[in-house]
Amino acid sequence: MAVRCTWCRAPVGELCTTPSNGRPHRGGTHDVRRIDWAMTTQCPECRATPGHPCTTTAHGQLTHLDDVHPARTHTTHRSQDPP
């Protein structure tokens, strides 16, 4: 909860909600919030800088991932409070 949720618009420090009814999200935070939070640090695997998505090389082309590398989440956990 260290970053604002771009999916449901929950402010920093508040639980995510279900956009259709405003009730607390049963699954904790939305995935996009977790990804945004992890992107506050550099990825040790692909070296993506803070604020930029993780990348991978597939068939010789650089591709942005829909998620972050597990190593980046681990690094973020060690450096700050989780969402």
Side-chain angles (χ1 to χ4, degrees), residues 17-81:
T17 59
T18 303
S20 62
N21 61 19
R23 293 185 182 148
H25 181 62
R26 291 183 185 171
T29 60
H30 290 108
D31 285 341
V32 69
R33 192 176 200 177
R34 177 190 51 80
I35 292 166
D36 287 347
W37 168 72
M39 286 186 359
T40 62
T41 61
Q42 180 173 345
C43 181
E45 189 166 327
C46 69
R47 300 290 185 218
T49 56
H52 292 85
C54 287
T55 59
T56 188
T57 302
H59 307 292
Q61 291 187 328
L62 191 65
T63 305
H64 288 151
L65 299 178
D66 292 333
D67 204 337
V68 293
H69 288 110
R72 192 174 198 176
T73 300
H74 181 72
T75 298
T76 309
H77 274 285
R78 288 190 333 223
S79 67
Q80 51 185 288
D81 293 329

